[in-house]
Amino acid sequence: EHEEEEGGQEEDRLRVVLHVDVDAFYCAVERMDDPSLLHVPIAVQQFNSGGFVAVSYEAKAKGIRKGDGVGAGGRAAARAGNERLKGLVGRVSMEEAKVKCPGLRVLPMRTERYREVARELQEQLREWGEVEKTSYDDFYLDVSKMVRRREGAGQGEEQRLEEQ
């Protein structure tokens, strides 16, 4: 792909774009705000009791998955063929999840807090390159300019070593 450099000259190099996906983002934010949740199995539940939208590694190790914790109505609609809810087939109820994973802490979504932390993360990523945010925990980071700067610095170092 061609990319125009700041000096107006077209640079004929590939772009380097990283995909940054923060795993268990909601759980990580909850733990950042409440360190007592460290090493505790946690799940973050949708506002409408539609199931878990995030599950910690400790809960995953006990078999808990995103979509578990959904109410009986949601599971029945999924079994009846509701296309929008078909992903809920086979998911366990809140009660079943707590039996499967003793000590499971179920927390409500805090959308505004996740949005705030995502903005902070996006600002930190901008130090490395251009950022495109696709969701609270998902970004594309274009580090092409940084790579070219380092590549140029490395070439200068190679030339210096050859001259010695």
Side-chain angles (χ1 to χ4, degrees):
E1 182 175 320
H2 296 287
E3 183 176 318
E4 192 159 311
E5 286 294 307
E6 292 166 5
Q9 297 176 353
E10 199 173 272
E11 188 68 30
D12 191 18
R13 297 191 183 188
L14 291 177
R15 293 176 67 194
V16 180
V17 178
L18 306 176
H19 179 226
V20 180
D21 184 354
V22 183
D23 200 24
F25 177 73
Y26 297 169
C27 295
V29 171
E30 296 302 333
R31 288 178 168 163
M32 184 173 70
D33 290 351
D34 182 357
S36 74
L37 295 172
L38 287 173
H39 309 296
V40 172
I42 61 175
V44 176
Q45 186 174 34
Q46 290 181 1
F47 297 117
N48 61 2
S49 299
F52 304 147
V53 294
V55 180
S56 70
Y57 290 114
E58 296 84 358
K60 286 178 184 178
K62 299 286 185 178
I64 305 302
R65 303 172 295 170
K66 286 183 189 178
D68 283 348
V70 70
R75 288 192 321 279
R79 283 191 304 273
N82 181 318
E83 204 49 40
R84 208 178 102 235
L85 300 176
K86 68 181 178 182
L88 298 178
V89 172
R91 300 300 187 200
V92 299
S93 70
M94 177 76 71
E95 294 74 25
E96 292 168 313
K98 288 184 174 184
V99 168
K100 206 174 187 182
C101 182
L104 178 66
R105 295 272 308 271
V106 179
L107 307 169
M109 282 185 74
R110 296 187 302 146
T111 306
E112 191 52 44
R113 179 63 177 139
Y114 307 141
R115 191 175 292 134
E116 178 184 325
V117 173
R119 279 192 298 265
E120 292 169 7
L121 179 56
Q122 186 174 10
E123 285 303 312
Q124 290 177 359
L125 290 172
R126 279 196 178 111
E127 293 177 20
W128 296 91
E130 295 177 36
V131 180
E132 180 180 331
K133 179 180 162 193
T134 57
S135 69
Y136 292 144
D137 66 342
D138 199 71
F139 305 87
Y140 286 95
L141 177 60
D142 186 339
V143 294
S144 303
K145 289 178 184 175
M146 182 185 70
V147 168
R148 280 194 292 279
R149 279 194 303 270
R150 288 184 180 221
E151 187 178 74
Q155 288 172 353
E157 181 66 15
E158 285 175 23
Q159 186 176 16
R160 188 184 68 76
L161 291 172
E162 286 175 7
E163 291 171 359
Q164 288 182 352

